[in-house]
Amino acid sequence: MSQKIYKVPEDFAALAHLRLADYQRLYQESVRDPNSFWSRIGRRLDWIQPFAKVKDTSFDEHDFRIRWFYDGKLNVSANCLDRHLTKRGDKTAIIWEGDDPKLSERITYRQLYERVCQCANALKSLGVKKGDRVTIYMPMIPEAAVAMLACTRIGAVHSVVFGGFSADSLAGRIADCESSVVITADEGIRGGKRVPLKTNVDLALTMPKTDCVKHVLVVRRTGIRVPMYAPRDQWFDDVVNPQPKECAPEAMDAEDPMFILYTSGSTGKPKGVLHTSGGYLVYVSMTHELVFDLREEDIFWCTADVGWVTGHSYVVYGPLANGATTVMFEGVPNYPDSGRFWQAVDKHKVTLFYTAPTAIRALMREGEEPVKAWSRSSIRLLGTVGEPINPEAWEWYHRVVGDGRCPVVDTWWQTETGGVLISPLPGAIDQKPGSATLPFFGVKPAIVDNEGNTLEGACEGNLILTDSWPGQMRTVFGDHQRFIDTYFKTFPGRYFTGDGARRDEDGYYWITGRVDDVLNVAGHRLGTAEIESAMVAHPSVAEAAAVGYPHDIKGQGIYVYVTLIADAQPSEALRTELRDWVRKEISPIATPDLIQWAPGLPKTRSGKIMRRILRKIAANEHDQLGDISTLADPGVVENLVRERMNRP
Ligand code: ATP
Ligand code: MG
C-alpha cells in the first residue's frame, strides 16, 4: 500500500477549526470522559427540553442498551429550519441542480421552512401521526428533502427508498415497515432517461402485504400522464399547496425513532436500520462541521442520492442542521458528458465536494481533459465515501480534480453508524492515499483476530468498535434480535463492523474490504482492496474486483475480474503482463491465478462492487448466486457467467 504522506496544506490549516493538537486533546477527552464531552457537544442543538442524562450504553447481550441524551426532547426539522430563520432566513438552503444542465433552482431557509410546514400539515390531514411510517420514493428533487423534513416535523418515521429500485424491492421495503403513505413522483429523470416511479409504485402496491398503504402523494416532475387511482392517489401540490405555512413541531424524545433506511445489500438481504432523533442529529451535524471543516459561506456538494445514508446525513440533515448551503443533484456524473460534475462545480462555486470512489474511477477512465475543461478553483476540500479508495484513484482525485491544492478526506462509515467514524480532520491530520486515517471524537475502533483477541500496534484483522457513539443505529426495525445477532455476537460485547482493517505504525486505519471478502491464499490473508489497488494502478486497467475460489493446492486461489480503460484491448499478452504487475506490486503470493475480462462488474445501486456474486461465478456455482435484486444491472451477471462457462 501507498506510504506516501500528504501533509495538511499550511494555508488550509491556518483557517481550519481544528489543528493536530486540538484533535489529540479533544479525542483524549472524548474517550476518557464521554459524558462530559457529549454533554457539551449535545448543546449544539436546540432542545425543547434540555437533556441532563447523556450516555447510557452497554453492548453486553444480557444488559443491552444504547441511549443518548435520553431525557431530552427536541424536533429535528426545527433544528434544521426554524432556528436558522432569524439569521439565515434569506440564505440559500438548497441549490438544486437538474439532470438537464440548464435547470437549477435556489431555495432559501425561509422558503424551505414554509414548504416543510405545508407538507407536514398535509401529512397530518391524511391522518399520519407520530410514529407512523412514510415511504419516500423520489427523484433527487427538493420535494424529497421537504418530505423527509415534514415527517420529522410531525414525528413520523420516514423510509426513503432509492428511486432506482424496482417495484419488487420497493414493495418489500413498504411491507417490512408497514407504511401508511407513499410519497413519489410521476417520473424521475437521470442521465436523460426516464424512471417510471409512479408506475413502479402502482405495481408495488399490487404485491403482498402492501395494503397498509392508504395514500399516495405524487409530485409532478416530468408532467407525463400517469394513472391516478382515487381515493388513494393525489397530486402532491393539490394536497400541500392549500395548507398553512406554519406547523408546530412535535416534541420528540431523543430516543424516538427518526427514520428507517435499508442497507445497500452488498452482503445479502438489506437490513432496516433504525436511527433515533437526538443522537443522530448531534452526530451528523458535528461530523459535517468538522470533517468538512465547514464555514458559513461554503457551498457543500455531496453527490449521493437521498436514498442512501450518505444522502440522509450529508445532503439533508448534517448541512441543514448547520445552516449550510447544500447542493442536491438530480443527474449522474457522465451526462451529458463526463465534465458534468466540474461544470456544476463552476456554476455554483462549490467549495466542498464529496463523492464515491466508483464515480472517481469512472471519470478517471475518461482521462483528464473533461476535468481540465473547467476551472474548479472554488473547491477547497475533496471527500470520498462508500468503498476503499485505491491509492491510484486517490492520487488522481487529489492531483487532477483538486489541482494538488485540496485535502482529501477518505471517510469510513456505514448506514449503521449514522455518520463518519474514521476520517482525517482536514486541518489536523496528514493524509495517506488509501487510508481513512484516525477515529473521530468518541469513536473507539480496535482490531481483533478471529478469536476476538485484541491486537496491538501495527496489525491486521477484524475492525470492531468497543464503545457506542451518538449516531449509532438502535435496532433493526421489527427485529431487535437480528440487530444483536448481526453486530454483537461475533465478538461478544463489541460492535462488529463486518470490515477488515490494517493499522500501521502511525495508528492509521486502512480498510481492507469486507471480512467475508478477505482471501486466504496458502495461509496468507490478503485484502481484496490491496489486490484491486495494484491492478488499478496499471495504466490499462479501469476497475478490478478480486475474489477467492477453491484451489486444490493453495486452499484459495485469486480470481480477478478486470475492466479495461476505453482504449485498451484484451489479449493473452496483457493477461500475463497484469499477473507480473501484481506480483511485482505486492508480492508473488498475490499473483492472480485467473484473470477474467469484465466489460462491467456487478454493483449495488449505490455503486459498490458485489463480490459475493463474483465469488459464486468464480467457483462455478452459477445456480447459487443468491439475491441479485439489489444489483444495478443484473445483465452484467449473465455476461460474466457466459464468459466463465466458456473457459476450459
Ligand atoms: P450491506 O450491509 O447490506 O451489505 P453495505 O455494507 O454496502 O450493504 P452501506 O452501509 O452503504 O451498506 O456501506 C457501508 C460499507 O461501505 C462499509 O462497511 C465498508 O465496507 C464500505 N465503506 C464505506 N466507506 C468506506 C471507506 N471510506 N473506505 C472503505 N470502505 C468503505
Ligand atoms: Mg454493511
Side-chain angles (χ1 to χ4, degrees):
M1 293 244 165
S2 169
Q3 274 307 333
K4 222 158 147 187
I5 296 181
Y6 285 79
K7 295 255 173 228
V8 173
E10 239 343 282
D11 50 340
F12 190 98
L15 297 172
H17 288 292
L18 301 175
R19 308 287 303 254
L20 183 59
D22 305 313
Y23 167 73
Q24 288 166 336
R25 176 174 47 80
L26 288 167
Y27 181 77
Q28 283 313 320
E29 185 205 336
S30 74
V31 293
R32 200 181 52 238
D33 191 355
N35 275 297
S36 104
F37 180 84
W38 288 110
S39 153
R40 195 170 71 238
I41 303 300
R43 280 184 234 130
R44 62 188 289 122
L45 299 185
D46 269 5
W47 293 83
I48 297 169
Q49 177 185 298
F51 59 86
K53 309 260 173 58
V54 180
K55 179 177 189 278
D56 178 32
T57 67
S58 156
F59 293 170
D60 175 351
E61 198 195 331
H62 306 290
D63 180 29
F64 190 89
R65 61 214 135 78
I66 304 175
R67 301 196 291 175
W68 285 91
F69 313 108
Y70 51 99
D71 58 350
K73 284 184 193 291
L74 80 168
N75 181 276
V76 167
S77 85
N79 273 284
C80 293
L81 301 166
D82 309 34
R83 67 174 175 149
H84 304 312
L85 293 181
T86 16
K87 276 216 212 117
R88 301 183 177 113
D90 296 324
K91 178 174 175 175
T92 302
I94 297 179
I95 297 177
W96 177 71
E97 170 71 17
D99 186 55
D100 174 346
K102 290 193 290 295
L103 295 182
S104 55
E105 193 184 323
R106 287 175 166 259
I107 299 167
T108 66
Y109 269 95
R110 179 165 310 283
Q111 290 166 332
L112 186 61
Y113 164 83
E114 291 178 352
R115 200 65 184 150
V116 167
C117 285
Q118 286 185 306
C119 183
N121 286 324
L123 290 173
K124 278 187 178 173
S125 77
L126 300 179
V128 179
K129 294 181 305 297
K130 177 174 168 176
D132 291 351
R133 273 80 60 208
V134 172
T135 292
I136 299 175
Y137 181 62
M138 297 268 262
M140 281 289 280
I141 54 176
E143 285 83 353
V146 167
M148 292 163 77
L149 290 160
C151 287
T152 64
R153 193 152 194 98
I154 64 173
V157 179
H158 61 66
S159 162
V160 182
V161 177
F162 173 52
F165 273 123
S166 64
D168 257 324
S169 311
L170 174 63
R173 286 162 174 77
I174 289 173
D176 186 73
C177 71
E178 298 172 273
S179 290
S180 56
V181 174
V182 175
I183 307 179
T184 189
D186 49 3
E187 286 182 313
I189 308 186
R190 284 182 91 224
K193 294 192 199 77
R194 307 276 179 133
V195 187
L197 296 174
K198 174 60 164 66
T199 308
N200 287 346
V201 171
D202 291 342
L203 186 56
L205 294 186
T206 63
M207 296 179 182
K209 298 191 183 152
T210 54
D211 53 356
C212 43
V213 174
K214 300 297 174 237
H215 300 279
V216 177
L217 291 182
V218 186
V219 176
R220 272 200 186 85
R221 168 62 189 90
T222 66
I224 192 186
R225 279 179 65 98
V226 290
M228 296 290 279
Y229 300 102
R232 190 194 71 187
D233 302 349
Q234 287 174 278
W235 293 107
F236 184 88
D237 280 351
D238 291 352
V239 184
V240 171
N241 290 358
Q243 298 292 336
K245 294 178 177 172
E246 296 286 334
C247 172
E250 185 79 30
M252 303 294 286
D253 286 340
E255 285 300 333
D256 276 336
M258 174 180 166
F259 67 85
I260 299 164
L261 182 61
Y262 294 84
T263 55
S264 53
S266 310
T267 50
K269 182 174 180 282
K271 298 170 274 281
V273 168
L274 184 108
H275 282 285
T276 56
S277 308
Y280 173 81
L281 201 65
V282 168
Y283 197 74
V284 296
S285 70
M286 167 124 176
T287 48
H288 177 254
E289 179 181 344
L290 297 181
V291 171
F292 301 102
D293 195 51
L294 183 73
R295 295 185 208 151
E296 187 65 43
E297 63 282 6
D298 273 320
I299 309 288
F300 179 78
W301 183 8
C302 163
T303 68
D305 193 281
V306 292
W308 311 121
V309 74
T310 310
H312 281 59
S313 301
Y314 301 112
V315 175
V316 179
Y317 292 113
L320 297 180
N322 289 334
T325 299
T326 183
V327 176
M328 214 176 164
F329 177 45
E330 189 182 34
V332 294
N334 56 1
Y335 174 85
D337 57 58
S338 41
R340 185 66 173 103
F341 276 167
W342 325 121
Q343 171 258 329
V345 160
D346 281 5
K347 177 173 171 187
H348 301 298
K349 301 275 173 292
V350 170
T351 55
L352 311 172
F353 182 79
Y354 190 33
T355 196
T358 179
I360 298 169
R361 289 191 301 260
L363 295 174
M364 238 172 110
R365 261 186 107 168
E366 308 297 326
E368 298 182 15
E369 272 82 305
V371 189
K372 298 290 180 192
W374 302 93
S375 130
R376 293 156 288 111
S377 58
S378 54
I379 301 182
R380 63 184 191 87
L381 174 131
L382 298 169
T384 82
V385 59
E387 283 184 292
I389 180 162
N390 327 100
E392 186 75 5
W394 194 105
E395 301 262 2
W396 186 86
Y397 196 34
H398 179 263
R399 177 175 56 81
V400 181
V401 176
D403 286 322
R405 291 180 289 111
C406 310
V408 175
V409 292
D410 172 2
T411 65
W412 173 84
W413 59 295
Q414 312 178 298
T415 310
E416 296 89 334
T417 70
V420 173
L421 293 197
I422 304 182
S423 165
L425 296 186
I429 298 170
D430 294 341
Q431 301 126 51
K432 299 183 189 179
S435 169
T437 75
L438 298 173
F440 191 74
F441 302 121
V443 174
K444 290 169 79 174
I447 296 185
V448 296
D449 64 17
N450 288 344
E451 283 67 54
N453 303 306
T454 304
L455 307 178
E456 303 293 339
C459 60
E460 185 172 338
N462 304 290
L463 180 63
I464 61 159
L465 299 157
T466 62
D467 202 356
S468 181
W469 62 100
Q472 183 170 24
M473 75 184 280
R474 301 298 197 259
T475 192
V476 170
F477 185 78
D479 196 350
H480 194 62
Q481 197 54 46
R482 186 175 178 205
F483 176 54
I484 310 244
D485 292 348
T486 308
Y487 303 101
F488 303 95
K489 281 264 171 79
T490 320
F491 304 111
R494 292 162 293 173
Y495 172 89
F496 179 37
T497 64
D499 287 340
R502 187 164 73 78
R503 188 171 51 216
D504 70 16
E505 311 70 44
D506 298 323
Y508 276 38
Y509 288 85
W510 301 72
I511 310 299
T512 51
R514 293 160 201 285
V515 169
D516 296 347
D517 293 337
V518 168
L519 312 183
N520 193 330
V521 180
H524 300 277
R525 282 168 60 90
L526 284 168
T528 46
E530 199 168 0
I531 301 171
E532 291 160 13
S533 291
M535 272 289 183
V536 172
H538 187 281
S540 300
V541 176
E543 192 149 39
V547 297
Y549 74 105
H551 188 287
D552 292 346
I553 299 154
K554 299 196 261 186
Q556 257 186 334
I558 303 175
Y559 196 109
V560 191
Y561 298 82
V562 172
T563 308
L564 295 175
I565 59 160
D567 12 293
Q569 292 303 320
S571 69
E572 277 316 305
L574 182 56
R575 217 192 282 270
T576 312
E577 188 179 323
L578 290 179
R579 297 187 61 202
D580 293 345
W581 173 272
V582 176
R583 169 196 296 267
K584 186 172 68 43
E585 290 275 305
I586 310 177
S587 95
I589 306 159
T591 313
D593 296 283
L594 290 168
I595 292 177
Q596 176 171 344
W597 307 121
L601 293 169
K603 292 189 182 169
T604 62
R605 283 166 210 264
S606 53
K608 297 174 202 239
I609 299 171
M610 266 220 233
R611 294 182 190 74
R612 171 172 68 81
I613 290 174
L614 293 174
R615 260 199 312 271
K616 293 290 179 195
I617 299 176
N620 264 327
E621 293 169 354
H622 306 133
D623 50 339
Q624 295 167 39
L625 296 181
D627 181 10
I628 59 168
S629 66
T630 57
L631 273 181
D633 176 8
V636 165
V637 173
E638 258 167 62
N639 263 327
L640 292 177
V641 169
R642 202 171 328 112
E643 285 293 307
R644 178 71 177 95
M645 307 276 257
N646 285 340
R647 294 172 54 88

